[in-house]
Amino acid sequence: MPNAKNTFPSPAKKASSEEYDIVIIGSGTGGKLIAWTFASEGQRVAMIERKYVGGSCPNIACLPSKNIIHTAQVASYARRSEEFGIARGSFKLDMSAVRGRKRKMVSSLIDTHLAAYRDSGAELIMGFGRFIGPRTVEVTLNDGTKRQLKGTNVVINTSTHAAIDSIPGLAEAQPLTHIEALELDKVPEHLVVIGGGYVGVELAQAIRRFGSKVSIIDRNGRLLHREDDDVTEAIGGLFQDEGIDPILNARIKRVSGQSGQRVKVTAEQNGVEKTIEGTHILVATGRIPNTKDLGVEVAGVQVTDRGYVKVNERLETTAPGIWAVGEVAGSPQFTHISEDDFHVFHDNVNGGNHVTTGRLVPFCVFTDPEFARVGLSEKEARAKGIPYRLFKVPMAIVLRARALVETRGFLKALVATDSDRILGFMNFGVGAGEVMSAVQIAMMGRLPYISLRDAVLAHPTLVEGLHMLFGSTPSVPSETISAELPVQANA
Ligand SMILES: Cc1cc2nc3c(=O)[nH]c(=O)nc-3n(C[C@H](O)[C@H](O)[C@H](O)COP(=O)(O)OP(=O)(O)OC[C@H]3O[C@@H](n4cnc5c(N)ncnc54)[C@H](O)[C@@H]3O)c2cc1C
């Protein structure tokens, strides 16, 4: 897919189009980095955003969810205060104040974004963008007026939205998605979460900790079902201890009632019909790409059968001069990947050849404790027939975890059998995301595992647990080949 520069004629549109070097539709992470970087370099850049300055991450996804999750952790500490020798007085949760704290953070992030647009010179246009021709976008501004923009290059960064499955009664029940769940001003009496992926488990735990009764329904036999069995068992055990009711292997047949009042979810579990009654429903069952109203056809941009923009490994679409970054391009659904897509675009538009294939995709599930992984899981290694040595230790031998008395979980690493290369690392435990990042950096530098085992690491940090992990005796699982297909976590 070539990257043509100003070679696509559209004479009909030319007279009324405003010309830009780069036009971006959607101000997600990749898009905004493109806008600020290229505008700072002197290019004429227009960013079209329908609603969320800065995209999902600071407004309705990563950062507000982590803000709420942190407050939920404080609520959990408050409940456990006697364990710390702090006598508990009366304890009352004010959900509208929880929301207020989150809103304050979001609004300060928006200010930071607006300053970056001002400082870089990128033009932020608030409105809905859709293609009306090759590299030509019509923006319906929020006041109803229209503008027509043409870019030498156009970038699609419109992302995805929460899917609401076509289960009878579900859409009519007006379920919460993550957007409304992060805006609750009252604790639900009984929240029914549909979907046990990372969004579902993070929000289920947080809302439970605010005092709601929570049930979580998943069609698979385990929460976070793509992960190794010891991980899914550990998450299951955590949820059980927190009083969250998992309803697994369950196919939802119908829903009745209204979320926010009373809802009834009828599901078939292992051949038996079961009814779950609650007050609210939260759907977290997957994502749908935002391409439906984008007019991609008139721009020559093809989409996959699931509606994602078709791109090659350089993030070029099927239309010359049009690119896609972030979730809408089918990239793994993380902010750091949308950010990496920015680097791919930046290098390629400047004549380089930067590809998306083969990149490490770390991720962290922000339950408490966290689960984080980089590189291969055991399931993936087996599916690919890659032999490995398995290192695994409980968090209880990590001295920092002991000091915190937060000893739930384990550390696990896969190391090649024919070299000391680390193939994968995962941690379910306090501070897992930070420990995983340390191992990732070692993997990026191709350090053998013994470098971590023998490194001088500050005591007592959680990263010091890597001494215990890589100093332990590995096992070599006999069965390394299975018929399972490799899976990309959360992709
Ligand atoms: C609840 C939740 C928690 C998450 N937590 C994490 C996390 O902890 N860590 C992590 O790495 N990832 C997390 N993610 C995923 C992460 O939010 C996304 O992967 C990330 O924001 C990158 O998205 P993006 O760049 O593709 O686009 P987005 O950031 O989603 O931005 C796309 C933008 O395009 C705009 N838009 C869409 N269509 C149009 C149009 N036609 N015209 C104009 N504008 C348009 C939208 O309004 C939106 O602002 C989470 C997601 C959810 C839902």
Side-chain angles (χ1 to χ4, degrees):
M1 295 175 215
N3 167 30
K5 298 212 170 193
N6 268 340
T7 52
F8 220 118
S10 66
K13 310 282 181 243
K14 201 161 186 175
S16 52
S17 288
E18 303 167 62
E19 303 274 342
Y20 287 84
D21 296 308
I22 304 180
V23 173
I24 306 159
I25 316 175
S27 74
T29 300
K32 69 196 175 195
L33 292 173
I34 291 169
W36 300 336
T37 307
F38 284 85
S40 304
E41 290 167 5
Q43 298 213 15
R44 197 151 184 246
V45 181
M47 164 65 81
I48 305 163
E49 169 55 50
R50 65 177 176 191
K51 187 166 185 189
Y52 299 114
V53 176
S56 306
C57 172
N59 288 282
I60 51 167
C62 327
L63 299 177
S65 63
K66 269 77 248 183
N67 179 288
I68 295 279
I69 286 167
H70 183 58
T71 306
Q73 187 178 28
V74 173
S76 154
Y77 279 139
R79 266 192 208 96
R80 290 168 50 196
S81 71
E82 279 164 13
E83 187 187 314
F84 297 90
I86 301 166
R88 191 167 128 196
S90 69
F91 168 85
K92 191 168 176 295
L93 193 114
D94 176 354
M95 202 60 203
S96 78
V98 172
R99 181 181 68 175
R101 182 174 183 276
K102 181 220 67 171
R103 283 185 173 176
K104 201 167 156 201
M105 177 211 69
V106 171
S107 117
S108 82
L109 289 167
I110 290 174
D111 289 346
T112 308
H113 281 77
L114 290 172
Y117 281 104
R118 264 195 315 274
D119 295 348
S120 65
E123 185 183 354
L124 174 63
I125 302 169
M126 294 305 292
F128 188 89
R130 53 183 281 277
F131 286 101
I132 51 166
R135 289 185 289 111
T136 308
V137 181
E138 180 184 78
V139 191
T140 305
L141 301 180
N142 289 350
D143 67 4
T145 55
K146 292 188 193 288
R147 281 172 69 178
Q148 199 169 297
L149 318 178
K150 181 158 189 172
T152 303
N153 285 286
V154 177
V155 181
I156 307 171
N157 183 208
T158 52
S159 196
T160 62
H161 63 272
I164 298 181
D165 292 345
S166 56
I167 294 165
L170 180 58
E172 294 74 12
Q174 296 184 295
L176 309 171
T177 68
H178 59 100
I179 301 177
E180 297 80 24
L182 294 169
E183 274 289 297
L184 286 169
D185 62 352
K186 289 200 176 59
V187 178
E189 198 181 307
H190 182 174
L191 176 71
V192 181
V193 179
I194 306 181
Y198 82 93
V199 173
V201 297
E202 285 183 3
L203 291 175
Q205 187 191 39
I207 292 174
R208 171 70 187 144
R209 287 178 164 196
F210 290 135
S212 179
K213 185 169 181 328
V214 174
S215 308
I216 183 162
I217 306 179
D218 198 289
R219 63 172 78 98
N220 301 290
R222 290 159 179 268
L223 301 174
L224 300 181
H225 73 281
R226 287 178 178 160
E227 297 305 321
D228 288 345
D229 288 352
D230 49 4
V231 173
T232 59
E233 271 157 29
I235 291 278
L238 171 69
F239 273 33
Q240 199 170 26
D241 290 351
E242 300 222 355
I244 297 170
D245 179 24
I247 299 150
L248 303 172
N249 284 319
R251 300 244 151 219
I252 300 174
K253 298 281 190 197
R254 59 191 172 275
V255 173
S256 61
Q258 280 283 306
S259 181
Q261 295 165 19
R262 291 230 74 82
V263 284
K264 216 191 241 188
V265 179
T266 307
E268 190 185 294
Q269 188 186 32
N270 304 321
V272 179
E273 201 162 281
K274 184 167 183 166
T275 301
I276 303 105
E277 291 192 46
T279 54
H280 294 68
I281 302 188
L282 165 65
V283 286
T285 47
R287 312 283 304 171
I288 294 178
N290 293 327
T291 49
K292 199 165 146 261
D293 302 316
L294 207 53
V296 284
E297 336 60 61
V298 295
V301 173
Q302 290 175 15
V303 295
T304 66
D305 50 5
R306 295 181 57 210
Y308 288 91
V309 174
K310 262 190 201 169
V311 289
N312 61 16
E313 70 283 5
R314 290 165 45 82
L315 297 176
E316 290 162 318
T317 71
T318 49
I322 304 183
W323 309 67
V325 299
E327 295 195 0
V328 75
S331 295
Q333 298 184 341
F334 302 109
T335 291
H336 42 279
I337 295 300
S338 188
E339 177 170 353
D340 192 59
D341 284 357
F342 148 70
H343 292 293
V344 173
F345 170 80
H346 184 270
D347 292 352
N348 291 340
V349 87
N350 283 319
N353 188 27
H354 190 154
V355 296
T356 53
T357 36
R359 57 186 169 187
L360 272 180
V361 182
F363 67 91
C364 184
V365 179
F366 291 87
T367 44
D368 175 26
E370 296 167 359
F371 168 66
R373 172 155 81 86
V374 60
L376 293 180
S377 66
E378 287 194 77
K379 264 189 188 171
E380 289 173 346
R382 281 200 299 269
K384 291 179 175 170
I386 298 173
Y388 57 90
R389 283 177 279 168
L390 180 69
F391 292 78
K392 185 173 174 187
V393 293
M395 280 301 285
I397 70 166
V398 180
L399 293 171
R400 179 57 182 267
R402 292 288 284 274
L404 299 173
V405 197
E406 300 279 356
T407 53
R408 183 187 285 270
F410 56 86
L411 298 142
K412 180 163 113 168
L414 280 65
V415 172
T417 49
D418 58 353
S419 74
D420 285 345
R421 194 160 66 93
I422 303 167
L423 303 173
F425 171 82
M426 66 215 73
N427 185 190
F428 177 59
V430 58
E434 315 300 327
V435 180
M436 183 257 310
S437 300
V439 178
Q440 181 189 350
I441 292 165
M443 289 168 78
M444 288 162 62
R446 298 185 183 281
L447 288 181
Y449 83 89
I450 49 170
S451 300
L452 292 173
R453 183 193 65 192
D454 301 339
V456 180
L457 299 172
H459 168 78
T461 58
L462 289 165
V463 176
E464 192 192 24
L466 299 175
H467 277 167
M468 288 85 174
L469 177 67
F470 289 120
S472 68
T473 308
S475 59
V476 181
S478 51
E479 174 226 337
T480 54
I481 314 243
S482 94
E484 287 176 70
L485 289 173
V487 284
Q488 166 87 66
N490 296 317

